[in-house]
Amino acid sequence: MEDKKIYPDMTKELADKKAALAPQNVEAWRNFSKTVFKAGALDEKTKQLIAVAVAHVTQCPYCIKSHTPQAIRKGASKEEIMEAIWVASEMRAGAAYAHGNIAMEEMDKY
């Protein structure tokens, strides 16, 4: 089976092209990101585990590829990362089930 890429690779060239189109926005984004991921009430490892989980819920391949190794570098084990992914999976499934209430309410109209 041929390996075809769905998304372009994250390259410095592509990042530079995007940044050149909106340099102030990129600078603000980078500062925001640095601030968010600094240790505070939550340590950096926990923040990266949250990021891995959210990346799976939002289904962002770039975020998954970025935050998984960052979580490892901040001390997360493979087991902790997988557990975070399972928590994200449960939350997404739970939300779908909970939103069934909206469908139930609509069905009751008929």
Side-chain angles (χ1 to χ4, degrees), residues 5-74:
K5 291 188 178 189
I6 297 174
Y7 304 100
D9 288 332
M10 296 180 290
T11 64
K12 182 174 179 356
E13 178 186 29
L14 192 54
D16 289 347
K17 282 182 180 180
K18 292 190 306 183
L21 294 171
Q24 290 179 323
N25 298 55
V26 169
E27 182 181 350
W29 174 260
R30 289 176 180 159
N31 287 333
F32 175 62
S33 185
K34 286 177 191 174
T35 301
V36 167
F37 283 99
K38 283 183 183 175
L42 297 173
D43 61 42
E44 291 179 358
K45 178 179 109 172
T46 301
K47 289 183 176 192
Q48 288 300 328
L49 286 168
I50 292 168
V52 170
V54 171
H56 282 79
V57 171
T58 60
Q59 298 179 327
C60 176
Y62 296 106
C63 298
I64 294 167
K65 289 176 86 62
S66 173
H67 289 284
T68 301
Q70 287 186 70
I72 290 169
R73 285 194 293 274
K74 296 299 179 182

